[in-house]
Amino acid sequence: MNRDMETLLSMYEQILELIDLGVHAVDQHGKTVIYNRKMRDIEGMNIEDVLDKNILDVFRFNPEQPSTLLEALRTGESILNKQQTYFNNKGQAVTTVNQTHPLQKDGRIIGAVEIAKDITKFRKLIQEHHQRKEASRTFADIISQSEAMQKAIRLARHAARSEAPVLLIGEKGTGKDLLASCIHHESERRAKPFFAQTCLSLPDDWMETMLFGSEEGGEIQPGLFEQADGGTVLLDDIDSLSLPLQQKLARFLQEKQFVRAHGQKPVRADVRLIASTSGDPIDAVQAGELLKSLYYQIAVHCIVLPPLRERKEDILPLAIHFIRQGNERYGLHVEGLGDDVQEAFLAYSWPGNVRELEAVMLETMATMEQEQTITLAHLPAPFRAKLAPDETKTDFLFDTEDMLPLDKYMEEVEIYYIRKALQHHGFNITKTAKALGLSRQNLQYRIRKYQIDKEWG
């Protein structure tokens, strides 16, 4: 092979690794000869697991849905826009939409190539939407004695009597999703669907299809707004939505109609929007993260939810509420908190807000037996370490029989540090990334990898 051919082959290989579509090619015997980076990501496989092996020795296919690559080899015909679900060598389901073509030389078939688009995660997200339909919630379900929270509830009750959009502002874990659910279920739309969706860290094409639906390949996939027709949609972290999608959303709010991704005809939907943000929306507008026009549309009713550290009178009643839930879940008879725990809870800043308190209480009760009072010793060890930040952490680090491997421990340190930085900057991605010396994309990758946005959302 001459040097020019080697250079050209190297270019081809690099291009295959860089493109954002899965490419999988087999020879005439069904043995893999090309398997690019994106395809490895889609199928969760290493290249050595697949290359030079027959695909039937690696993957498992349903009899009713055979391999499209082998079908193209057998028939010599292309298969276009074919959705296929199969299983990798770990038994995990993979769903793709494929363009599959036979490869020919001198009139005979020498192989087949498949260009695949991953929809596994999209299908999972769609399923999660159906699972996240809320049961009826009312304002009476909100545990609060603080004046700041009572003010937010009064504003929310007023908003429930309206049809205008609502903007909820509050840190992660302050209860924005609960308040949105209450607004819906005390409105005239209560008999219609209620859906909640985060806008954080999702690719643009997924998000557009998720919200507005798709007509790709002749198949109509209804989006969230179509499914919620007549009801309410909560969009969490709306300032994380890309600006082009914010513009499309603004047009939908104005015109009450939209065009599906890859579609032509407008689709009408009657949906009330509730949006939320973890930071100051004015800062987001000034930073270019939130369209000014969209902000004015969604901020007709603007409700601020205070963090738990500013409503300390709610901490102990909430803890008692979660104790009741834990008793029911675990068959316990816990009556309350010890004095030492009450004092510690009131002194703690609760950066994860109500969601953190709920997690601590349920984790505590999951390990209890017949005790009637929760003491400091019952609390999870990592949380006890947070209650005494100035004390040495040596006991905590070795508080288990098995020490963590170094890479696992460093991963936990990274998660903790990123979480604290996000909390410090009100979960503003741009500000946090700058403070950490990361690019915005790099930080979003870590948030997705560690699922940090889901912990106290």
Side-chain angles (χ1 to χ4, degrees):
M1 183 182 295
N2 60 43
R3 182 170 298 177
D4 289 341
M5 185 60 71
E6 289 179 352
T7 300
L8 190 60
L9 182 57
S10 176
M11 291 173 64
Y12 284 146
E13 290 174 343
Q14 291 181 58
I15 291 169
L16 280 170
E17 289 294 289
L18 290 171
I19 62 176
D20 199 35
L21 289 169
V23 179
H24 189 171
V26 297
D27 63 16
Q28 67 268 36
H29 304 296
K31 185 181 293 186
T32 297
V33 292
I34 296 175
Y35 192 63
N36 77 337
R37 173 197 57 82
K38 182 63 177 180
M39 202 69 190
R40 299 193 294 272
D41 291 345
I42 290 173
E43 295 179 336
M45 307 279 279
N46 297 319
I47 193 165
E48 60 268 18
D49 295 329
V50 182
L51 199 64
D52 295 326
K53 296 180 181 178
N54 190 291
I55 59 174
L56 292 180
D57 294 332
V58 179
F59 302 98
R60 181 164 56 87
F61 299 89
N62 294 320
E64 302 83 10
Q65 201 175 41
S67 164
T68 45
L69 270 170
L70 296 184
E71 282 294 291
L73 274 181
R74 184 179 64 83
T75 64
E77 296 180 357
S78 295
I79 304 171
L80 304 179
N81 299 313
K82 175 72 173 180
Q83 181 173 312
Q84 179 178 224
T85 298
Y86 52 100
F87 300 87
N88 66 11
N89 64 350
K90 304 178 185 70
Q92 298 167 334
V94 180
T95 302
T96 57
V97 172
N98 305 325
Q99 311 282 339
T100 313
H101 305 276
L103 302 175
Q104 300 184 16
K105 182 181 180 182
D106 300 329
R108 64 184 184 90
I109 296 175
I110 60 170
V113 63
E114 190 155 84
I115 302 171
K117 181 177 180 180
D118 182 22
I119 62 170
T120 307
K121 295 178 181 178
F122 176 72
R123 283 167 59 88
K124 182 179 178 183
L125 288 169
I126 288 291
Q127 292 168 359
E128 287 175 355
H129 284 308
H130 291 284
Q131 295 167 359
R132 292 184 68 186
K133 286 185 177 180
E134 300 279 347
S136 294
R137 313 284 284 275
T138 68
F139 292 110
D141 296 321
I142 300 176
I143 308 297
S144 175
Q145 298 177 1
S146 68
E147 176 54 34
M149 194 63 188
Q150 289 298 320
K151 178 181 178 181
I153 293 172
R154 287 195 295 271
L155 291 173
R157 287 184 184 276
H158 180 73
R161 300 193 294 268
S162 165
E163 284 289 298
V166 180
L167 177 60
L168 304 177
I169 305 169
E171 295 177 6
K172 291 287 183 182
T174 50
K176 300 188 293 293
D177 53 347
L178 172 59
L179 200 65
S181 178
C182 292
I183 291 172
H184 169 75
H185 288 291
E186 294 205 7
S187 75
E188 295 297 323
R189 297 175 179 263
R190 65 179 67 89
K192 296 294 184 177
F194 173 79
F195 290 110
Q197 169 61 40
T198 179
C199 301
L200 187 65
S201 305
L202 289 176
D204 238 26
D205 55 345
W206 287 7
M207 200 70 224
E208 182 176 15
T209 304
M210 179 68 67
L211 297 180
F212 299 102
S214 156
E215 295 184 20
E216 191 171 10
E219 179 182 350
I220 294 178
Q221 172 66 61
L224 208 58
F225 291 128
E226 282 182 79
Q227 296 178 58
D229 188 32
T232 307
V233 169
L234 166 65
L235 293 184
D236 195 21
D237 294 301
I238 194 167
D239 49 327
S240 295
L241 200 63
S242 72
L243 294 182
L245 286 183
Q246 288 188 34
Q247 292 172 337
K248 186 167 183 174
L249 177 60
R251 287 196 300 272
F252 167 54
L253 293 176
Q254 184 71 32
E255 302 170 4
K256 306 299 181 186
Q257 64 181 20
F258 57 87
V259 177
R260 300 186 190 99
H262 312 292
Q264 301 271 334
K265 298 180 181 179
V267 178
R268 296 195 65 83
D270 172 26
V271 174
R272 189 199 192 167
L273 179 67
I274 301 178
S276 76
T277 176
S278 300
D280 188 329
I282 300 300
D283 287 346
V285 170
Q286 293 176 343
E289 297 170 352
L290 180 63
L291 286 177
K292 183 184 292 186
S293 58
L294 179 60
Y295 167 70
Y296 286 132
Q297 285 178 288
I298 62 178
V300 178
H301 297 281
C302 196
I303 304 172
V304 178
L305 282 75
L308 191 55
R309 62 183 173 275
E310 294 179 7
R311 40 184 287 221
K312 288 186 177 292
E313 56 265 59
D314 291 339
I315 293 174
L316 298 184
L318 282 165
I320 296 301
H321 171 70
F322 295 134
I323 285 175
R324 294 194 190 102
Q325 289 186 342
N327 282 336
E328 183 176 347
R329 177 179 298 184
Y330 301 115
L332 301 173
H333 300 282
V334 178
E335 295 179 357
L337 305 171
D339 292 342
D340 53 352
V341 177
Q342 292 185 38
E343 183 180 344
F345 276 15
L346 292 173
Y348 182 58
S349 63
W350 297 105
N353 295 296
V354 179
R355 188 68 56 82
E356 183 183 11
L357 175 58
E358 179 181 21
V360 168
M361 294 303 300
L362 294 182
E363 185 177 352
T364 297
M365 297 187 69
T367 62
M368 295 183 70
E369 295 180 357
Q370 301 303 319
E371 302 94 333
Q372 293 184 327
T373 302
I374 295 175
T375 68
L376 283 175
H378 290 119
L379 300 178
F383 182 72
R384 292 202 309 271
K386 294 179 185 178
L387 296 178
D390 296 330
E391 296 180 7
T392 176
K393 298 296 190 296
T394 303
D395 291 340
F396 163 61
L397 292 177
F398 298 96
D399 198 24
T400 58
E401 294 182 4
D402 299 317
M403 293 176 58
L404 291 174
L406 181 60
D407 59 344
K408 180 64 176 176
Y409 175 70
M410 294 306 295
E411 178 181 299
E412 292 194 0
V413 171
E414 182 178 1
I415 292 171
Y416 174 80
Y417 196 69
I418 291 174
R419 182 194 300 157
K420 296 296 289 186
L422 285 164
Q423 291 165 356
H424 179 74
H425 292 284
F427 279 76
N428 183 293
I429 300 296
T430 300
K431 291 180 180 178
T432 305
K434 184 177 180 181
L436 294 175
L438 300 172
S439 69
R440 182 183 171 92
Q441 293 80 5
N442 202 325
L443 177 58
Q444 287 177 324
Y445 164 76
R446 284 171 163 79
I447 289 173
R448 289 195 298 270
K449 177 181 177 182
Y450 300 129
Q451 298 183 312
I452 293 173
D453 59 298
K454 298 178 182 178
E455 294 182 0
W456 293 328

